[in-house]
């Protein structure tokens, strides 16, 4: 009796396991029918059962189309039956998508990230004035924060100004500026120390030492 037991590892591979092995056997049986009329009848019955197994998808657009596609996929594209929708092809299913283009940027100062370079390029296109000056110092402060996230030690503003001058190809020059950037301690301050109400520290929970022990 034990010798007659079947294990899933010894059975045929399920193409779409969500439908179970009995559904796969029904489709395999439909493939063996001799007349197309009988195959069409079985295919419609199988589609009905497949729809009942996934009632949560009934409101999905093209629900019936998806079921017919899955039917032919589970038959390994060998079921010769009429479908109300275009039949999927094996080549279309197995074809590889076109590779996506991904920007291969290798910035010199990686701790600033690619967005900083984009912000600097935008600032270079602005006309001289208060708006551009405010944007430039905002970028410089953000660069200083990124630097401190990478290196927790303090950094001189002159280092940030030199990096900004280099990354802007010499078009943004704050090296002789008399205005200082934000203090390092304020940039490193984490929001986790404060609650969401009024910026105050979250109160610590107090536990009584007279709790009952069970």
């Amino acid at each position: 009796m034990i010798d007659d037991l079947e294990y899933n590892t010894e059975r045929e591979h399920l193409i779409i396991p969500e439908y179970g092995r009995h559904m796969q056997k029904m489709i395999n049986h439909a493939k063996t029918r001799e007349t197309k009329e009988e195959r069409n009848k079985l295919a419609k019955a199988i589609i009905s059962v497949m729809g009942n197994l996934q009632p949560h998808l009934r409101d999905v657009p093209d629900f019936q189309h998806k079921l017919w596609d899955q039917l032919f996929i589970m038959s390994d594209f060998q079921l010769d039956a009429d479908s109300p929708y275009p039949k999927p092809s094996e080549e279309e299913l197995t074809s590889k998508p076109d590779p996506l283009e991904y920007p291969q940027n290798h910035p010199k100062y990686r701790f600033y990230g690619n967005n900083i370079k984009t912000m600097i390029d935008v600032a270079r296109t602005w006309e001289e004035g208060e708006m551009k000056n405010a944007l430039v110092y905002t970028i410089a402060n953000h660069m200083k924060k990124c630097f401190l996230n990478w290196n927790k030690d303090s950094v001189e503003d002159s280092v940030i100004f030199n990096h900004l001058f280099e990354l802007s190809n010499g078009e943004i020059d704050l090296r002789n500026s008399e205005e200082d950037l934000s203090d390092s301690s304020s940039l490193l301050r984490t929001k986790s120390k404060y609650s969401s109400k009024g910026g105050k520290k979250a109160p610590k929970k107090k536990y009584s030492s007279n709790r009952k022990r069970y």
Side-chain angles (χ1 to χ4, degrees):
M1 182 177 178
I2 297 179
D3 295 337
D4 296 334
L5 293 177
E6 293 184 357
Y7 297 93
N8 286 335
T9 54
E10 299 175 352
R11 295 173 176 173
E12 66 172 331
H13 172 69
L14 292 179
I15 300 177
I16 303 181
E18 289 80 356
Y19 286 106
R21 190 165 301 278
H22 292 294
M23 183 63 63
Q24 185 67 56
K25 289 182 177 181
M26 293 171 62
I27 296 174
N28 293 342
H29 174 73
K31 292 192 302 184
T32 62
R33 299 300 88 193
E34 297 181 357
T35 63
K36 195 168 189 178
E37 181 180 0
E38 189 175 2
R39 291 194 298 270
N40 289 338
K41 184 177 180 180
L42 288 174
K44 293 179 180 179
I46 293 172
I47 289 293
S48 178
V49 176
M50 291 172 64
N52 292 332
L53 291 176
Q54 300 194 44
H56 59 285
L57 296 179
R58 290 188 180 276
D59 296 332
V60 176
D62 299 330
F63 173 61
Q64 288 291 324
H65 194 174
K66 294 178 185 295
L67 293 181
W68 280 96
D69 285 349
Q70 291 175 341
L71 172 64
F72 289 112
I73 292 172
M74 293 173 66
S75 69
D76 201 17
F77 303 95
Q78 297 178 5
L79 177 60
D80 183 15
D82 296 329
S83 170
Y85 308 98
K87 295 181 181 180
S89 62
E90 186 174 3
E91 293 77 12
E92 182 181 2
L93 184 66
T94 57
S95 62
K96 296 182 179 180
D98 296 332
L100 295 176
E101 295 184 0
Y102 192 82
Q104 299 295 329
N105 295 331
H106 302 285
K108 182 177 180 180
Y109 306 109
R110 294 188 177 184
F111 44 84
Y112 290 135
N114 291 326
N115 290 335
I116 284 291
K117 187 63 172 67
T118 303
M119 294 167 64
I120 293 174
D121 292 339
V122 171
R124 292 166 57 187
T125 63
W126 284 25
E127 296 181 0
E128 297 295 334
E130 293 183 3
M131 293 293 293
K132 180 176 180 178
N133 190 52
L135 176 60
V136 167
Y137 274 95
T138 300
I139 294 174
N141 276 308
H142 191 64
M143 290 174 62
K144 185 174 182 179
K145 183 177 180 180
C146 293
F147 190 101
L148 292 171
N149 287 334
W150 169 71
N151 184 358
K152 295 300 182 182
D153 295 335
S154 60
V155 57
E156 297 293 336
D157 291 351
S158 58
V159 175
I160 302 299
F161 293 155
N162 287 330
H163 289 174
L164 180 58
F165 180 79
E166 183 179 354
L167 292 175
S168 64
N169 295 330
E171 296 185 23
I172 300 178
D173 190 0
L174 299 178
R175 293 176 297 176
N176 297 323
S177 174
E178 296 180 357
E179 186 173 348
D180 296 330
L181 298 178
S182 299
D183 187 71
S184 299
S185 59
S186 63
L187 292 174
L188 287 175
R189 188 180 303 157
T190 57
K191 295 181 180 180
S192 61
K193 296 181 180 179
Y194 301 92
S195 63
S196 59
K197 297 181 180 180
K200 298 180 180 179
K201 290 187 177 180
K204 296 182 178 180
K205 294 182 179 180
K206 295 182 179 180
Y207 295 93
S208 172
S209 59
N210 296 325
R211 291 182 302 170
K212 292 183 179 181
R213 298 180 180 271
Y214 296 94

